[in-house]
Amino acid sequence: VSAMAAEQRRELGRLSALAVYRRVAGTGRMERRRRGAPLPAGRKRAKARLRRGRAGGGGSEPDAPPPAAPPSRVELPVEAPLDPRPEAAAAGPDAKPRDGPKALPSDPRPAGEDRGGVTELLRRLARLEDSRQRAAELFRWLLAPVAPAEFLGRHWERAPLLVRRGDPGYYAGLFSTADFDAALRGGEVHFGTHLDVTSYAEGVRETHNPSGRALPNVVWDFYQNGCSLRLLCPQAFSPSVWHFLSILQEQFGSMAGANTYLTPPGTQGFAPHYDDIEAFVLQLEGKKHWRVYRPRTDAEMLPQFSSANLTQAELGEPVLETVLEPGDLLYFPRGFIHQGDCLPDAHSLHITVSSYQRNSWGDFLEKLLPAALQMALEEDLEYRRGLPMDYLQYMGVANSDTVSARRTAFVEKVQSLIKKLIDYAPIDAAVDQRAKSFLHDCLPPVLTQSEKAQSVYGFPARWQDGGPCNVDILITKDTEVRLLRHGIVRLCNEEAGVMLYYTTENSRVYHKEEPKFLELDPEYTDSIEFLLSSYPNYISVDNLPCETLEEKISLATLLFEKGILTTKKPLAQV
């Protein structure tokens, strides 16, 4: 707080953090919404080196989604998920919702299963060998008891979904107000960067962020005075959220992010708006009243960017209105306007898990078409021929109503060249560039205890008795190895050479690190592809399709040092 604010406090007695902020910053500070907001001597090393990566340049849906199904009273058949309780199956499709399009009372865990919430879930997922299976099962759990196929066919990018579970402990261990407080006490949360202090009253949306570190007494003072708290990157402070999202991102093939929202009783922190992400709202504590509205126009369906703050007068009737309680799930697609407010008798803590920001066919074509045009210019004389000398005389908006042979010929030539572009479109290379960007977005993997013991992260190198010991990584032809996760690497054939991008040295903070990659000689490409196709099975180093045993061992050693490979048995005992 500035010296002026301190003097004002002395003069006027104790003021709240909110009052001080308003006196110093003024009451008119409105939010501008965010839009996106880690060889033994004598051995030859693989011909690869780590560089600071360059920015990326460059999930499939079979058809464009049909118009949104009516979400307000959709009755979904309750298909049995992976872990349905008998009573959930007995409820059947005739179970009546309390309100909203679908109220699905269920605990998707089998009878007798330890009800350990997210903590127990993550332990069970760790027993699965294949990271893709972990991701699929986590997705099932998130939606349960709605089957993923049912969700993808009827709701994904189409209509909201409400799941009522009647299980306050369903998300136990994911995030709590105690975790929020612990993050503040850790001293690394900063206003604006990690935390937003917000309010919405009488149609006015304000952000009250002071500068600097978000100290607990200041933050909780804001909260006591009716301000909502948005933690922008809970995965940076919560191991559970990091673990949860690091698994889920492999299911989406797109960045999985999260914000947490803590709202005081009887208040609202945000104006109505729509977002540019697919949103999964997980109610963790307390209760919150939600209203969800259809996109107002076709142009606002599945938008590329989030909206500005909207007024109540700009809204129609909600297609879904409900009160979320702990354990409940609310999903709504990008473009659906929403607002949430707290009831007078309870605070609310929820986490919004998000994905699919800028992950549309149009975003893919933004990578593909410039590359196709560049190839066409290089390989096809027709694209390099000059425009007609007089085309400015008969083309352009001023001449758009004119009918002439010259205009017809010009338009037909343009259409012909555009159609021919498909012959030059490097579709797979453009997909690789999208994957490269996704790997930069990814959270680093969270290792189980056994994975840590079998990887470089559990290697017992240390300083002891006056010098380093247990330093040499002794990989042999008989060492059995595999990728740590299926989705942690991507081969890209780029102008500068063959690059292997990877996620193991990413940060828990979005894009804090530059993209990480190894530049490989082309002869190692087959070995990377062999590792990918063999996953989750272990293969012996001797089976890598390199020309010599020395190259096999050196490549495996390099990938092990980067955390990309794990071994079936620990290379050294602690």
Side-chain angles (χ1 to χ4, degrees):
V1 179
S2 68
M4 178 183 71
E7 180 62 27
Q8 290 170 335
R9 278 181 180 257
R10 285 193 293 270
E11 291 177 358
L12 302 177
R14 188 192 179 282
L15 298 176
S16 68
L18 177 59
V20 170
Y21 176 84
R22 282 181 163 158
R23 292 178 67 88
V24 175
T27 59
R29 179 165 171 170
M30 308 299 291
E31 179 193 38
R32 287 177 171 82
R33 303 196 70 252
R34 299 168 189 269
R35 293 184 173 179
L39 283 165
R43 288 193 179 173
K44 175 184 175 184
R45 285 206 175 255
K47 289 179 266 186
R49 59 187 182 274
L50 179 66
R51 293 180 174 180
R52 290 184 68 81
R54 296 175 292 278
S60 63
E61 287 287 334
D63 298 300
S72 55
R73 292 295 182 267
V74 171
E75 287 293 335
L76 299 179
V78 182
E79 293 186 30
L82 174 71
D83 299 321
R85 276 196 322 180
E87 58 263 41
D94 297 325
K96 295 191 182 212
R98 293 196 316 210
D99 53 11
K102 183 60 183 175
L104 297 166
S106 172
D107 180 351
R109 287 165 290 187
E113 180 87 39
D114 177 17
R115 299 189 177 192
V118 172
T119 304
E120 176 59 26
L121 170 72
L122 294 176
R123 287 197 192 102
R124 287 191 283 118
L125 294 178
R127 300 183 198 126
L128 301 176
E129 291 294 318
D130 193 328
S131 62
R132 295 166 294 186
Q133 189 180 358
R134 293 180 191 178
E137 298 306 334
L138 177 54
F139 191 51
R140 285 178 183 273
W141 177 91
L142 179 64
L143 298 171
V146 179
E150 180 76 16
F151 169 76
L152 293 173
R154 299 198 53 183
H155 291 276
W156 179 252
E157 294 191 327
R158 292 170 174 82
L161 171 69
L162 170 65
V163 177
R164 290 198 178 283
R165 296 195 173 99
D167 180 4
Y170 195 77
Y171 302 126
L174 182 57
F175 196 81
S176 66
T177 45
D179 295 323
F180 205 128
D181 187 65
L184 296 176
R185 294 184 179 281
E188 297 300 322
V189 179
H190 287 75
F191 288 111
T193 304
H194 309 115
L195 181 70
D196 283 333
V197 179
T198 70
S199 65
Y200 176 73
E202 299 180 352
V204 178
R205 164 73 173 86
E206 293 182 276
T207 298
H208 312 284
N209 291 341
S211 60
R213 188 169 295 167
L215 298 177
N217 63 309
V218 177
V219 173
W220 295 129
D221 196 4
F222 273 119
Y223 176 84
Q224 282 192 146
N225 282 275
C227 292
S228 290
L229 307 175
R230 174 170 62 180
L231 189 61
L232 297 169
C233 188
Q235 58 269 30
F237 307 100
S238 165
S240 294
V241 176
W242 168 27
H243 196 174
F244 190 93
L245 297 177
S246 70
I247 297 173
L248 197 58
Q249 66 192 2
E250 194 164 351
Q251 173 69 21
F252 289 127
S254 176
M255 176 188 170
N259 292 334
T260 60
Y261 299 82
L262 179 58
T263 308
T267 69
Q268 181 169 339
F270 294 86
H273 65 278
Y274 60 77
D275 291 314
D276 56 352
I277 46 90
E278 301 299 298
F280 298 82
V281 177
L282 286 61
Q283 188 69 25
L284 305 176
E285 295 178 12
K287 296 183 289 186
K288 198 161 202 177
H289 170 234
W290 283 89
R291 285 167 286 176
V292 181
Y293 310 79
R294 286 191 191 282
R296 297 171 298 177
T297 65
D298 288 348
E300 291 183 355
M301 293 179 65
L302 305 180
Q304 279 191 295
F305 303 104
S306 298
S307 72
N309 295 320
L310 304 175
T311 66
Q312 300 296 332
E314 295 176 275
L315 310 178
E317 289 297 314
V319 294
L320 186 154
E321 183 168 7
T322 189
V323 175
L324 291 188
E325 298 181 1
D328 291 347
L329 170 72
L330 173 62
Y331 159 81
F332 45 83
R334 56 196 191 274
F336 274 72
I337 300 167
H338 52 278
Q339 59 180 324
D341 60 277
C342 258
L343 302 180
D345 61 339
H347 77 279
S348 169
L349 177 68
H350 78 265
I351 185 169
T352 297
V353 175
S354 62
S355 192
Y356 262 61
Q357 186 179 53
R358 300 301 303 272
N359 199 45
S360 69
W361 284 104
D363 296 305
F364 172 67
L365 291 175
E366 285 186 344
K367 291 283 188 188
L368 178 62
L369 294 181
L373 182 56
Q374 185 59 42
M375 291 187 68
L377 284 165
E378 292 173 1
E379 298 181 15
D380 193 326
L381 179 61
E382 286 302 305
Y383 289 87
R384 302 196 300 271
R385 293 190 185 279
L387 291 160
M389 287 186 181
D390 59 348
Y391 82 103
L392 296 177
Q393 298 176 17
Y394 55 85
M395 297 305 300
V397 174
N399 300 296
S400 59
D401 293 332
T402 304
V403 179
S404 70
R406 291 183 301 173
R407 280 186 59 83
T408 300
F410 190 96
V411 171
E412 289 176 349
K413 182 64 175 179
V414 171
Q415 292 172 340
S416 172
L417 293 174
I418 291 175
K419 289 177 182 178
K420 201 174 178 183
L421 268 184
I422 191 61
D423 297 332
Y424 301 97
I427 296 175
D428 288 317
V431 168
D432 286 339
Q433 291 301 307
R434 290 282 303 180
K436 163 184 164 180
S437 297
F438 167 50
L439 261 65
H440 187 207
D441 295 343
C442 277
L443 287 164
V446 177
L447 276 63
T448 65
Q449 288 300 314
S450 60
E451 287 172 337
K452 185 176 180 181
Q454 293 157 206
S455 72
V456 70
Y457 301 107
F459 205 74
R462 68 191 64 203
W463 183 274
Q464 184 174 310
D465 299 329
C469 65
N470 295 323
V471 173
D472 292 344
I473 297 173
L474 299 177
I475 288 178
T476 71
K477 69 182 182 68
D478 298 319
T479 303
E480 293 182 272
V481 298
R482 73 170 190 183
L483 294 172
L484 175 64
R485 300 279 188 275
H486 186 269
I488 63 169
V489 294
R490 188 76 182 199
L491 270 175
C492 293
N493 194 353
E494 300 180 342
E495 187 175 347
V498 177
M499 306 297 180
L500 181 68
Y501 291 88
Y502 61 97
T503 68
T504 55
E505 294 178 350
N506 284 3
S507 170
R508 290 160 66 175
V509 176
Y510 179 69
H511 286 191
K512 183 178 180 180
E513 298 288 338
E514 294 292 325
K516 303 299 182 185
F517 62 86
L518 299 167
E519 182 177 350
L520 299 177
D521 280 353
E523 58 259 35
Y524 293 117
T525 299
D526 289 345
S527 293
I528 301 299
E529 293 174 349
F530 182 55
L531 286 164
L532 280 164
S533 63
S534 299
Y535 182 86
N537 298 317
Y538 287 91
I539 55 107
S540 66
V541 170
D542 195 35
N543 286 333
L544 289 172
C546 298
E547 290 185 4
T548 68
L549 178 59
E550 186 178 28
E551 289 179 337
K552 296 175 183 182
I553 292 175
S554 60
L555 177 62
T557 301
L558 174 71
L559 298 179
F560 183 86
E561 289 175 343
K562 292 300 174 187
I564 296 169
L565 288 188
T566 63
T567 56
K568 191 171 185 178
K569 297 178 181 179
L571 291 180
Q573 298 296 325
V574 178

